Amino acid sequence: MAVIQTTGLSKRYRDKWAVDHLDLQVEQGDIYGFIGQNGAGKSTTLKLLCGLARPTQGEALIFGKPLRDTVARRRVGALIEQPGLYPDQSGRENLRLYATLLGLDSPERQVDGILETVGLSSGEKKPVKHYSMGMKQRLGVALALLGGPDLLLLDEPINGLDPEGIREMRELLLRLNRERGLTILVSSHILGELSKIATRYGIIQNGRMVEQITAAELAQKCADYLHLKTDQPRKAAALLERELHLQRWEMRPEGEIRIYESVDAKTVGQLLTQAGIVVEEMGLHRQDLEGYFLERMGGEKHV
């Protein structure tokens, strides 16, 4: 079942399309990694999906209902940019206030349960202004969990966190997905972290969807490559291209050559040695999410 389905979703500010005819689909149970460079349109898309901005064109369905459907919107929790917290109040007091504003039943019980879920103490008296960045982000997720949503929209929730804070947020999102069955759309530019949790990815550039791909499909597409460093990289590349008829390779910074085709490393070594080229390093590596992302974004590549 598609929890989010957009068709031609667009948002224009003056003469710029922040989101440009975006087709996006998030399935129930997904942790959907929304990838894009700064200014690609990630935050604007999330604002459109949670009703903080009105689309210029196109359609978006949440749980099969249009965005204006109040029942569907109650099933969505969102953390967009920085959480709106009252700095002189404790985390518990912030949650109680928002729970009251939302008109929730048994707000005390909900608040205590949510604080436990996100790893914050319900007895903590310290005002939010003295929280660490990681604590503030987890409290922001706690706010998004008020009302028991089925879908979470999280905009860069690990941005600015230290390694421990990133680990805590990662474990929290995995737990919410596995134990509560929440569908999560999370945007981030920290690709290594997304690769640890995402079941599906959407790559956006200049407001347009470049590709949507499952984690399993990505694992297949992230092809192995032969890593090679020599004392004469340009001569080596020209030789190998000519002798092995290479079509998919690239020259990386500091003279590294990557060959994305199935070639015999022993043959490569022999060809280079016979030509008087010293092989400094050679080994098989797997392309990671960042490498695939940069390739889809039109990064440096020789074809």
Side-chain angles (χ1 to χ4, degrees):
M1 172 188 173
V3 172
I4 301 174
Q5 178 79 55
T6 75
T7 305
L9 187 65
S10 305
K11 180 62 177 179
R12 182 170 182 167
Y13 294 104
R14 296 184 180 178
D15 59 346
K16 177 177 173 58
W17 289 96
V19 177
D20 190 359
H21 296 84
L22 186 74
D23 295 336
L24 179 151
Q25 182 166 317
V26 179
E27 298 294 332
Q28 186 171 8
D30 274 345
I31 298 180
Y32 187 103
F34 199 31
I35 301 171
Q37 299 163 332
N38 290 335
K42 303 189 301 297
S43 295
T44 303
T45 300
L46 267 63
K47 289 176 182 177
L48 291 171
L49 292 175
C50 67
L52 293 177
R54 182 174 296 179
T56 305
Q57 294 179 11
E59 181 183 40
L61 301 178
I62 305 291
F63 300 103
K65 303 291 185 180
L67 291 176
R68 63 181 178 273
D69 186 274
T70 56
V71 175
R73 286 172 66 170
R74 287 196 195 102
R75 300 176 66 184
V76 181
L79 173 59
I80 309 296
E81 298 175 345
Q82 296 297 318
L85 302 173
Y86 293 92
D88 293 320
Q89 305 295 318
S90 70
R92 192 171 193 278
E93 290 168 335
N94 268 272
L95 280 181
R96 286 179 61 190
L97 176 59
Y98 277 95
T100 301
L101 291 173
L102 291 171
L104 300 182
D105 294 330
S106 305
E108 294 287 339
R109 188 176 64 215
Q110 279 211 41
V111 165
D112 290 342
I114 291 172
L115 285 171
E116 181 180 355
T117 296
V118 301
L120 295 174
S121 171
S122 61
E124 177 64 71
K125 304 294 186 182
K126 181 169 59 177
V128 165
K129 64 184 177 184
H130 296 311
Y131 277 20
S132 68
M133 178 65 76
M135 292 173 69
K136 288 179 181 177
Q137 287 298 87
R138 279 184 283 142
L139 184 56
V141 174
L143 291 174
L145 290 173
L146 285 171
D150 298 307
L151 168 66
L152 282 183
L153 304 176
L154 305 177
D155 185 24
E156 300 278 3
I158 59 177
N159 192 25
L161 300 186
D162 61 20
E164 179 65 16
I166 291 174
R167 181 190 63 79
E168 291 173 347
M169 183 62 70
R170 178 177 71 239
E171 292 177 352
L172 171 60
L173 298 185
L174 286 171
R175 190 165 66 250
L176 291 172
N177 177 256
R178 292 169 180 170
E179 296 178 5
R180 295 196 176 193
L182 265 66
T183 301
I184 302 173
L185 190 159
V186 53
S187 74
S188 180
H189 62 272
I190 305 178
L191 305 179
E193 282 303 312
L194 274 186
S195 68
K196 297 175 183 177
I197 63 173
T199 59
R200 187 186 301 268
Y201 300 91
I203 302 173
I204 185 175
Q205 183 182 34
N206 297 325
R208 287 182 170 269
M209 184 65 73
V210 175
E211 182 178 27
Q212 294 187 95
I213 185 171
T214 67
E217 291 169 338
L218 179 62
Q220 293 179 346
K221 287 194 174 186
C222 281
D224 294 343
Y225 64 85
L226 186 68
H227 155 84
L228 182 64
K229 291 194 76 172
T230 76
D231 63 340
Q232 303 176 70
R234 297 194 178 280
K235 181 179 178 181
L239 173 68
L240 294 174
E241 185 177 42
R242 182 177 68 250
E243 296 296 326
L244 300 179
H245 308 290
L246 298 181
Q247 295 184 350
R248 296 183 62 244
W249 64 273
E250 65 178 341
M251 183 76 71
R252 305 283 290 182
E254 300 181 1
E256 178 196 4
I257 300 170
R258 291 186 180 182
I259 301 173
Y260 294 95
E261 299 178 33
S262 179
V263 294
D264 181 59
K266 183 178 180 180
T267 300
V268 170
Q270 288 175 343
L271 284 171
L272 297 176
T273 300
Q274 291 169 4
I277 299 172
V278 176
V279 178
E280 298 172 346
E281 296 177 16
M282 183 163 62
L284 189 64
H285 289 259
R286 176 171 290 278
Q287 186 182 30
D288 58 11
L289 173 60
E290 182 176 5
Y292 183 81
F293 169 74
L294 291 174
E295 181 178 325
R296 296 297 285 130
M297 291 295 98
E300 182 180 352
K301 179 185 174 188
H302 183 101
V303 179

